[in-house]
Structure formats: structure tokens, C-alpha cells
């Protein structure tokens, strides 16, 4: 009997990679010499948090993909 498994790994990997890219964009789009504390907080806290969260989500997607792969059946041949 074959059970259909949901392929959730690939969409989660794509979401994680997009989060990582958005974190990089936020971090590097704001100038380093910005004197406003709000912009500095958005850069350092927001960009870092989104980027690191994206890495974690990507890792979770990879692990889900690897866990849900179909295993090939073991073929036992005991003929000598």
C-alpha cells in the first residue's frame, strides 16, 4: 500500500531563501552612517533577525525534504 506524502520541503526551502535574501536586502540597503536610531534598529535588529530566521527555515525545509523522501525498497536476493 502506497501512502501519498505532502511535499512540504521544497516550498519551505523557497520561503527560507526568500527570507534570507530579504534580510540581506534590509541590512545592506540602509546606510551604515545613518544617525537616526529607528533606521539603525531596523538595519541591525530587523535585517539580522530576518536573515537568521531565513537560514533556520531553509534548514528546516531541507530536513523535511530529506525525511520525506521515498526510500527505495530493499531487494533481497538470497540465491547462491
Amino acid at each position: 500500500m502506497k501512502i501519498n506524502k505532502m511535499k512540504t520541503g521544497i516550498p519551505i526551502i523557497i520561503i527560507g531563501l526568500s527570507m534570507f535574501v530579504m534580510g540581506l536586502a534590509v541590512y545592506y540597503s540602509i546606510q551604515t552612517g545613518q544617525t537616526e536610531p529607528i533606521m539603525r534598529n531596523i538595519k541591525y535588529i530587523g535585517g539580522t533577525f530576518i536573515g537568521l530566521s531565513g537560514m533556520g527555515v531553509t534548514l528546516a525545509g531541507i530536513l523535511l525534504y530529506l525525511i520525506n523522501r521515498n526510500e527505495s525498497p530493499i531487494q533481497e536476493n538470497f540465491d547462491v
Side-chain angles (χ1 to χ4, degrees):
M1 184 169 135
K2 204 172 195 182
I3 298 173
N4 290 333
K5 295 181 183 179
M6 289 178 35
K7 299 289 182 183
T8 57
I10 301 296
I12 291 178
I13 292 172
I14 294 170
I15 290 169
L17 288 174
S18 65
M19 285 176 65
F20 180 70
V21 169
M22 283 190 291
L24 284 175
V26 168
Y27 190 83
Y28 286 113
S29 65
I30 299 173
Q31 296 290 330
T32 304
Q34 195 69 251
T35 58
E36 296 177 23
I38 294 174
M39 293 302 283
R40 238 182 324 163
N41 288 338
I42 290 173
K43 175 182 180 170
Y44 292 125
I45 296 171
T48 303
F49 180 75
I50 293 171
L52 289 175
S53 297
M55 285 186 213
V57 171
T58 303
L59 179 63
I62 290 170
L63 291 175
L64 275 173
Y65 176 76
L66 292 175
I67 289 171
N68 289 330
R69 278 192 305 169
N70 292 332
E71 296 179 9
S72 60
I74 299 173
Q75 295 182 5
E76 298 177 1
N77 189 3
F78 296 114
D79 295 335
V80 180

